[in-house]
């Protein structure tokens, strides 16, 4: 049993870390830090001895709080087997509308901070920061729970047809339509591609030499199912 335990422990690994510091206008008193740790030996449930609860106290008018909920427990130190989707909450102070999130102790796989208010992604990198503002109504020790979230860096947009499978990766917000040219039947119709989109259209069920028209955000591509030679996807002039 001990040998098994040692073996499992040896296989566990940290896959990402990041400290995020919330700073208000007074860098001496308006500071709070959230520590994020991704480890495949942990779970996304609250684990005493790993996840560190936030005291949720603000001692003066400048004090801020940065934390992340695990269930109903606000934590200033988070251990999880997957940080993607982890939401980050904060409490404003009594004075500031402008704040900065500062990144440090960053390691492991690339992660991004998503801001739902501005609909933007920011790379979490050592020494980088993200300035933001809150509404006037959110000044005064107001909790903001659903604005920030940890996400994966979006994949580089690509489109490729290989081994009879059409892969469309990325292209967030763009439109995708795949049409069978034989009868103009629409096989795929995506009005707005979502973030981190990955569409694998398997054409094996279609007869050989079926011609498809792929329209990606207005750019048209023509491909042939089960061709004698694998084709690269190139726009139609």
């Amino acid at each position: 049993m001990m040998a098994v335990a040692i073996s499992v422990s040896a296989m566990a690994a940290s896959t990402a870390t990041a400290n995020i510091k919330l700073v208000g206008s007074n860098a001496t008193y308006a500071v709070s830090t959230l520590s994020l740790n991704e480890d495949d030996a942990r779970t996304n449930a609250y684990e005493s001895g790993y996840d560190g609860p936030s005291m949720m106290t603000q001692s003066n008018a400048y004090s801020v709080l940065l934390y992340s909920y695990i269930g109903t427990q606000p934590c200033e130190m988070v251990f999880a087997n997957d940080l993607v989707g982890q939401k980050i909450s904060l409490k404003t102070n009594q004075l500031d509308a402008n704040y900065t999130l500062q990144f440090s102790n960053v390691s492991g796989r690339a992660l991004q901070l998503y801001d739902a208010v501005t609909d933007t992604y920011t790379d979490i990198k050592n020494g980088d920061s993200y300035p933001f503002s809150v509404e006037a109504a959110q000044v005064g020790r107001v909790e903001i729970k659903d604005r920030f979230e940890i996400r994966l860096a979006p994949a580089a947009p690509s489109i490729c047809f290989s081994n009879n499978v059409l892969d469309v990766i990325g292209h967030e917000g763009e439109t995708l339509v795949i049409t069978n040219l034989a009868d103009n039947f629409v096989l795929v119709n995506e009005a707005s591609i979502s973030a981190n989109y990955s569409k694998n259209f398997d054409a094996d069920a279609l007869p050989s030499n079926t011609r498809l028209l792929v329209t990606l955000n207005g750019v048209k591509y023509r491909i042939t199912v089960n061709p004698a030679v694998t084709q690269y996807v190139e726009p139609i002039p």
Side-chain angles (χ1 to χ4, degrees):
M1 289 292 291
M2 183 172 289
V4 172
I6 293 173
S7 176
V8 171
S9 176
M11 290 188 293
S14 173
T15 49
T17 65
N19 286 347
I20 303 178
K21 181 189 291 185
L22 174 64
V23 182
S25 62
N26 188 314
T28 300
Y29 299 106
V31 174
S32 181
T33 300
L34 170 66
S35 175
L36 297 173
N37 304 272
E38 186 177 78
D39 192 312
D40 56 17
R42 305 272 55 86
T43 73
N44 278 46
Y46 180 80
E47 295 179 275
S48 179
Y50 290 94
D51 300 307
S54 171
M55 299 303 293
M56 298 297 286
T57 57
Q58 292 173 273
S59 58
N60 58 61
Y62 291 103
S63 296
V64 293
L65 290 173
L66 189 68
Y67 49 94
S68 186
Y69 279 99
I70 303 178
T72 59
Q73 176 66 60
C75 293
E76 60 185 27
M77 179 174 288
V78 172
F79 279 82
N81 61 12
D82 189 358
L83 288 173
V84 175
Q86 190 76 43
K87 291 192 174 183
I88 296 173
S89 302
L90 64 95
K91 268 194 177 180
T92 59
N93 62 26
Q94 294 179 326
L95 304 170
D96 296 328
N98 300 314
Y99 298 88
T100 302
L101 293 172
Q102 300 175 348
F103 309 131
S104 64
N105 192 38
V106 179
S107 65
R109 64 170 175 157
L111 297 172
Q112 288 192 319
L113 180 75
Y114 175 70
D115 184 342
V117 171
T118 60
D119 191 26
T120 56
Y121 294 83
T122 299
D123 293 331
I124 298 177
K125 294 182 177 180
N126 271 318
D128 284 1
S129 61
Y130 178 72
F132 68 97
S133 299
V134 300
E135 299 173 2
Q138 293 175 317
V139 177
R141 294 185 175 177
V142 175
E143 183 177 49
I144 300 174
K145 295 176 66 174
D146 297 317
R147 177 167 181 173
F148 296 108
E149 183 179 335
I150 300 298
R151 294 193 178 180
L152 281 177
S158 66
I159 177 171
C160 177
F161 183 60
S162 179
N163 297 321
N164 225 36
V165 175
L166 177 68
D167 288 323
V168 179
I169 299 174
H171 298 279
E172 181 180 356
E174 298 183 8
T175 59
L176 173 66
V177 180
I178 302 176
T179 305
N180 187 334
L181 287 174
D183 54 10
N184 290 320
F185 183 77
V186 176
L187 301 168
V188 174
N189 191 349
E190 296 279 0
S192 179
I193 295 175
S194 60
N196 292 308
Y197 182 84
S198 179
K199 182 68 177 181
N200 304 112
F201 178 74
D202 192 339
D204 270 342
L206 298 174
S208 295
N209 296 314
T210 298
R211 297 172 70 221
L212 302 177
L213 179 65
V214 179
T215 305
L216 181 60
N217 215 42
V219 180
K220 299 181 184 297
Y221 306 83
R222 189 179 293 121
I223 62 177
T224 303
V225 175
N226 282 316
V229 179
T230 299
Q231 298 175 323
Y232 293 99
V233 177
E234 295 181 357
I236 298 172

